[in-house]
Each structure stands twice: as structure tokens, then as C-alpha cells.
Amino acid sequence: MESEPYVSVNNIDMRKSKKVLVVPLFRNTRMLSESKQNDEDRYLQLLHMAFTEHQFFFSFSYDVTLTQQTIAKNQLHKHSHDNMWVRADHRFFWNRELVLDLINNGADEWVVPFMSAHVEIRTDCNVEDVKFTLLFVSRRSRYRQGCRFTKRGIDEHGNVANFAETEQILIFPDGRISSYVEIRGSIPVKWCSPVHMRYAPEVFIDENKEQSADWAEKHVREMIELYSDHTGASNILCINLVDNKKEQGRLGTAFKEVIDTVRPRVSPTPLSYVWFDFHHETAQKGKWNNLSKLVALVDDTFRAQKFFNKQANGTATSWQIGVIRTNCMDNLDRTNVVQSLFARRALVLQVGKADQADMAGKGLLETPWKSFESMFKHVWVNNANAISLAYAGTGALKVDFTRTGKRSFKGMFNDGVNSCMRYYLNNLTDGVKQDAIDLLLGCYRPDNLAPSPFSPRTSQDSLSSNITKVFVVMMLVFSTLLLLIPPTIPGMGVGNVIDPAESNIGHLRTHFLISLGLATAVAMYFAFKIMKKGSVLGAVSYTHLRA
């Protein structure tokens, strides 16, 4: 692997991968058949896609998968002498399946965990007289990993789709380090919304509520364990931002039901649930300030959770007790906006300027330090775009509010463009992308004795074949017009200078434009019907490795 130094500050060292070389550990001297060799080539193409579409970070000396608080807890509990891969957070250890043979054979010195993440560092930051370096890390879980419509909800192990842990680390000139952690993840209920070409695919919620509650309990207990202080104390706050109506409303209700079921099981650890209908609260012009209602509503819990802080000598003076877990439908756009609000409030507390930021008034949504605000908002916009690109294939929506604190026409136009791109990518290309992720993470293991997973299904249809059908309709209309309306031959009277050849060309042009218009109208009609009601095209437009 070729890499480049990316972060090097105060004993925190991270490298970013630039090029990955796939090397077989065991070579098979037996020749493969042509079909099997074609499968091998496809596997390599999928791996290339997986490596290309993710940003990977690693370190030979620093635990990139661990938060600052977890590193401190390991040192406190004498776990810092374990091998790096043993200390690694298994959720963010993306290459674990790839190096499993090395682990099983005791080749610990060859095992270096790498993570899929968004990492950004800003030096020379300052809030009045306080100077610091901001290190921003969003780690993406390898469990239930995938694309927007192919991975939703929770699995039997308590892992949720699109889970990400965001850590905001402040490094001060005197060696002090402070960090604040938030998480996001899919609604922890067994549900799905399979690709069906509808703009908003239908949501299916499993009717086995007890099973969903059991799985959600595993998820909550893991949060309690991983996001506790050095004494094991924790405090979990779940913020749900989905709409309080239609299918999103049904999901929100199911989420509340599992939390109500799980809460007494994990007592006495506090487990709170807040349902804030983001779209309803911010729907009208100028109503984005209503987000301050949410911040004020959970402020007591936010302050009780605190943040982590340690002195230059390693002594911890403050511990974060619990975590805020935020979600919307995709855990992208609405989630990022709300997470940035809490991150801003945490940073003000981390630099000790709460008394100057009016945290009960205007400071709920912004701070008075313009240069800091500009930097902070750009960092969160970059984070939103990075996570959205990995999960949905486009940049995030609503980033104009994150960047400027208000919505704009340009921002809404960009949201429309990104929404159209998401529709196309999520419905027609994410199948291959999901296959690449499954292969990289070891969710699918090739078997030379099994039939090729790339063989097309008998029911499979493709986008190209449907475009061909539209073209056939256009040509049929064109041919019919030629038969029913033959060209007229201009008369040869005095003053008539119309060339018969030009007349025929004009005739053909007219028929062609009529045919194109009718075919386009037919295509748009069926596209509208498909987007509104769905179509089998979306379900069979790509091949899954495990199909």
C-alpha cells in the first residue's frame, strides 16, 4: 500500500492510503476456465471500485479506530500494551476479514488496522485568546455497511446501517487534549425499503416487535458499554428527526416502542428518546431558527454528558458520560445539521467560552466569532458531503444552512440536482457498489466450485434494454407517419423555387420531431408512473453477488 502522511500532531499520527496492491497469499498453479477467469477479473474490478470509493486511514503508532477517551480508558485499565489490532475498535477495523489468516497464524506485526473515515485537520484555530488545532474524525462502521436502499435498519447482532462515530478533537499548545463524540445510525428496528424505482420506496417494518426490541437492546447495550466514562457510567440520548406522518411516522412510532421496551431492561442507565419532526419544524420560510427548540429541549442531558479532557501529562480531568445518537431516514442531511449544532456547543464549552457565547439565546445556533464560525461550518459541510458520498453517492443536502446558517435558492437548487442524482444512482447503480463493499468486507467469499454469481437472472432487465424499447416506440411512430402521410411533391409553376430534395428532408425532419416528441412524452409518462408507484425494473436492474 502506498500512503501519505495526513495528520501528525501531538503524538497523533495518521496516514492516508493512496494506492492499494492486491497480492495473493496462496497461488493456485491450476489453470482456470475462461468463465472462472472472467469471474476473477470481475472480483478484481469490484475490489478496485471498493478501494477507489472509500478513504482509508491507518497508523503504525496511533490507534486510529479509537476515540481519545477510549485510549485513556485503555491506559487506565492497562490494555495499552496489547497489540494494536487487539486494541482496535472492531466496528471500524475495516480490513479485519482480509487479515484474518495473519491473525490466526500469529503474524501480529503484519496486522495494521485501517478505517474508512473522513478526517480533516485545521491548524491555527482561535477563539479570542484561546488557540488550538482542530482534528475532526468521522469513522464509518464496517457492520451492516452498504448503500442507501440496500442497507437499512438493524441486524440480529445489534448493528445498524450507516453507523458513523464523529469525534471533534481539540489540541492545545500546552499539550492538553479535549474531545467530544457523537454518533449516527439507522433506526434500530428491523425494516427495509427495497429498490423499486419509486422516488420514495415503500417502507416495510417487520411485525415481530419482540425480535426488534431484542436486537435494539443489543445495540443500546453496546452504546452504553462503548460510550461510558472510566467508571462505566453512561447516558444515552436518541434524537429522531423523521417526519411524524406517513411511512416515516410509522418508523418513528416503531422506534419509540422499542426504546420504551428496552429502557427498563438497561435501567438504571438513562435512555432518553426525543422525536423532533425536522421538516415540519423548518418547513416555513425563516423557521430554521426552530432548531433552537430542539437544542434547548435536550440541553440538560447534553450538559450532563460533558466532554473528555486530559492534561499534557495524560491525567484526565473530565470524562464524557454517554453519547447523543441522532438519526433521520438516511442519517445524512438532517442528521448532519443537528449534529453540527451540538458539536458547536461542545466546542464552546471545550475552549471555556460558554459565558461569552450566549448559549441560551442566539448562541444556540451560532457563535460571535466570525472567523471561527466560517471554519467550523466548512468542516461540517465537508463531513456531510463525505458521508453522503459514501452512502448515497452524492453530496449532502441542506449544506447551505450548515455553511451559512440559513437556506438559499442556490442551496435548494443544488438539493434538487443531488436528489435527482441520488434517484438514478440508488436505483440503477448501487447494486454493483454493494457487491464491491460486500466483497471487500468479507460478507461474500468467492467459491470456485459454485456457479458464477454474475450470471444474469432470467427475470433481469436492464436500463439499456428499456431505453431500447423507447427507441423502438419512436421508430414505430416514425415509420407509421411515413406510411400514412407521404411527402408532397411541390408544383413546377412560375416562381416556384422549392427543391424536391429539400422538401423531402423537411418532411422527414417534421415526422422525426413528431416521433421524438411522442416517444419522449410516453417515456416521461411511464417515468412519472414508475417514480410514483414503482416498477420491477428497480428490483431487477442489477445482479447481487448473493442473489
Side-chain angles (χ1 to χ4, degrees):
M1 175 185 288
E2 292 184 10
S3 63
E4 61 182 356
Y6 199 80
V7 174
S8 182
V9 55
N10 200 10
N11 297 323
I12 300 176
D13 174 76
M14 292 188 191
R15 303 185 67 87
K16 182 180 180 181
S17 65
K18 293 179 60 179
K19 182 179 179 180
V20 176
L21 180 65
V22 179
V23 180
L25 289 179
F26 306 101
R27 290 189 178 274
N28 191 339
T29 57
R30 186 176 59 185
M31 295 292 293
L32 295 175
S33 65
E34 182 178 355
S35 62
K36 292 299 182 183
Q37 185 59 55
N38 290 336
D39 286 351
E40 288 292 313
D41 293 341
R42 288 287 296 275
Y43 290 137
L44 289 175
Q45 291 173 3
L46 290 173
L47 282 177
H48 180 267
M49 176 187 293
F51 283 118
T52 301
E53 295 194 356
H54 292 82
Q55 296 187 71
F56 293 109
F57 296 86
F58 69 96
S59 176
F60 296 112
S61 58
Y62 176 72
D63 292 307
V64 295
T65 67
L66 303 182
T67 64
Q68 287 292 312
Q69 178 157 305
T70 302
I71 293 174
K73 288 197 294 184
N74 283 345
Q75 294 171 344
L76 196 63
H77 298 133
K78 311 300 182 184
H79 296 311
S80 58
H81 298 296
D82 295 335
N83 291 313
M84 187 179 294
W85 73 264
V86 177
R87 300 194 303 265
D89 189 321
H90 58 92
R91 300 171 299 170
F92 311 123
F93 188 173
W94 269 59
N95 58 327
R96 193 179 191 283
E97 293 299 321
L98 301 180
V99 298
L100 201 55
D101 288 337
L102 296 175
I103 291 174
N104 292 336
N105 286 280
D108 295 334
E109 67 276 10
W110 288 88
V111 179
V112 179
F114 67 70
M115 65 177 180
S116 171
H118 168 67
V119 178
E120 186 167 350
I121 185 168
R122 295 295 184 105
T123 57
D124 300 325
C125 303
N126 66 282
V127 172
E128 293 187 347
D129 58 330
V130 180
K131 299 183 183 299
F132 58 91
T133 294
L134 173 63
L135 176 58
F136 191 92
V137 184
S138 278
R139 305 174 178 92
R140 303 179 62 240
S141 174
R142 68 187 178 98
Y143 295 124
R144 202 156 179 75
Q145 184 57 242
C147 303
R148 185 181 175 207
F149 290 150
T150 55
K151 291 295 180 181
R152 299 282 211 186
I154 194 170
D155 65 19
E156 65 272 22
H157 305 294
N159 303 310
V160 294
N162 198 25
F163 182 90
E165 172 191 87
T166 299
E167 183 177 18
Q168 177 177 273
I169 304 172
L170 274 58
I171 305 163
F172 298 93
D174 60 1
R176 183 167 58 90
I177 293 180
S178 176
S179 96
Y180 177 71
V181 174
E182 296 181 81
I183 60 175
R184 67 176 75 187
S186 188
I187 291 177
V189 173
K190 189 179 180 183
W191 68 283
C192 65
S193 56
V195 170
H196 204 250
M197 293 298 290
R198 285 180 60 182
Y199 182 77
E202 185 177 359
V203 171
F204 298 93
I205 304 175
D206 195 280
E207 296 180 356
N208 192 337
K209 296 183 179 181
E210 186 60 33
Q211 184 183 68
S212 282
D214 291 341
W215 294 2
E217 181 183 353
K218 295 178 182 179
H219 179 62
V220 171
R221 289 192 181 278
E222 182 178 62
M223 287 192 293
I224 292 172
E225 177 185 354
L226 296 177
Y227 301 104
S228 60
D229 67 2
H230 61 301
T231 67
S234 190
N235 185 348
I236 307 299
L237 169 60
C238 300
I239 298 179
N240 179 24
L241 302 174
V242 302
D243 298 348
N244 194 5
K245 60 182 180 179
K246 299 183 179 179
E247 294 186 330
Q248 292 194 28
R250 293 195 298 115
L251 266 177
T253 300
F255 189 4
K256 182 180 185 302
E257 289 174 351
V258 297
I259 291 297
D260 289 342
T261 302
V262 170
R263 186 178 291 111
R265 299 182 186 180
V266 299
S267 180
T269 300
L271 175 60
S272 306
Y273 174 83
V274 173
W275 188 349
F276 185 83
D277 188 337
F278 185 100
H279 285 150
H280 174 73
E281 294 291 343
T282 62
Q284 299 179 15
K285 184 177 180 181
K287 292 296 184 180
W288 281 73
N289 286 334
N290 281 347
L291 290 172
S292 61
K293 292 163 55 178
L294 170 63
V295 176
L297 180 65
V298 300
D299 193 53
D300 288 343
T301 301
F302 166 78
R303 290 178 180 270
Q305 289 178 341
K306 300 189 289 188
F307 56 89
F308 174 74
N309 188 81
K310 71 175 182 179
Q311 300 298 332
N313 62 5
T315 302
T317 57
S318 175
W319 297 85
Q320 184 171 337
I321 306 172
V323 71
I324 295 179
R325 180 199 193 279
T326 309
N327 73 269
C328 49
M329 281 295 285
D330 303 319
N331 321 300
L332 297 175
D333 314 311
R334 289 172 280 184
T335 295
N336 199 79
V337 169
V338 169
Q339 283 196 329
S340 70
L341 301 180
F342 292 111
R344 177 187 288 104
R345 291 175 68 74
L347 194 146
V348 170
L349 293 172
Q350 288 173 278
V351 297
K353 297 294 182 180
D355 56 334
Q356 301 177 36
D358 187 20
M359 294 185 69
K362 188 177 180 181
L364 285 168
L365 299 178
E366 62 180 16
T367 65
W369 308 294
K370 292 185 178 180
S371 61
F372 161 75
E373 271 294 312
S374 176
M375 177 276 297
F376 181 83
K377 289 173 179 176
H378 276 85
V379 167
W380 272 93
V381 167
N382 295 339
N383 179 65
N385 288 331
I387 294 181
S388 181
L389 277 169
Y391 189 56
T394 73
L397 311 184
K398 303 177 177 67
V399 293
D400 54 329
F401 178 83
T402 305
R403 183 184 290 114
T404 66
K406 58 184 179 180
R407 295 240 65 184
S408 64
F409 176 78
K410 180 181 178 181
M412 289 185 283
F413 176 79
N414 289 335
D415 286 357
V417 172
N418 280 335
S419 295
C420 292
M421 284 295 297
R422 284 183 182 181
Y423 175 80
Y424 170 78
L425 295 172
N426 300 159
N427 281 279
L428 298 172
T429 69
D430 275 358
V432 176
K433 184 177 177 180
Q434 184 66 55
D435 291 343
I437 294 171
D438 288 343
L439 187 64
L440 172 66
L441 294 176
C443 300
Y444 174 84
R445 291 183 176 275
D447 183 358
N448 282 332
L449 299 179
S452 171
F454 302 109
S455 301
R457 294 169 290 185
T458 56
S459 63
Q460 188 172 3
D461 208 346
S462 66
L463 178 63
S464 60
S465 66
N466 282 273
I467 293 176
T468 301
K469 293 175 183 177
V470 173
F471 178 76
V472 169
V473 170
M474 183 183 75
M475 295 308 297
L476 181 62
V477 173
F478 181 67
S479 301
T480 303
L481 289 174
L482 288 178
L483 291 174
L484 297 179
I485 311 177
T488 59
I489 300 176
M492 302 300 293
V494 178
N496 194 331
V497 296
I498 299 177
D499 186 2
E502 291 183 2
S503 176
N504 284 335
I505 292 175
H507 177 78
L508 292 174
R509 184 187 299 115
T510 301
H511 284 2
F512 177 77
L513 291 176
I514 293 173
S515 304
L516 180 62
L518 288 174
T520 301
V522 170
M524 291 180 66
Y525 171 76
F526 282 106
F528 172 77
K529 298 288 286 186
I530 287 171
M531 291 178 67
K532 186 175 181 180
K533 295 185 178 181
S535 166
V536 294
L537 170 62
V540 299
S541 59
Y542 48 72
T543 306
H544 284 301
L545 284 175
R546 289 180 287 178

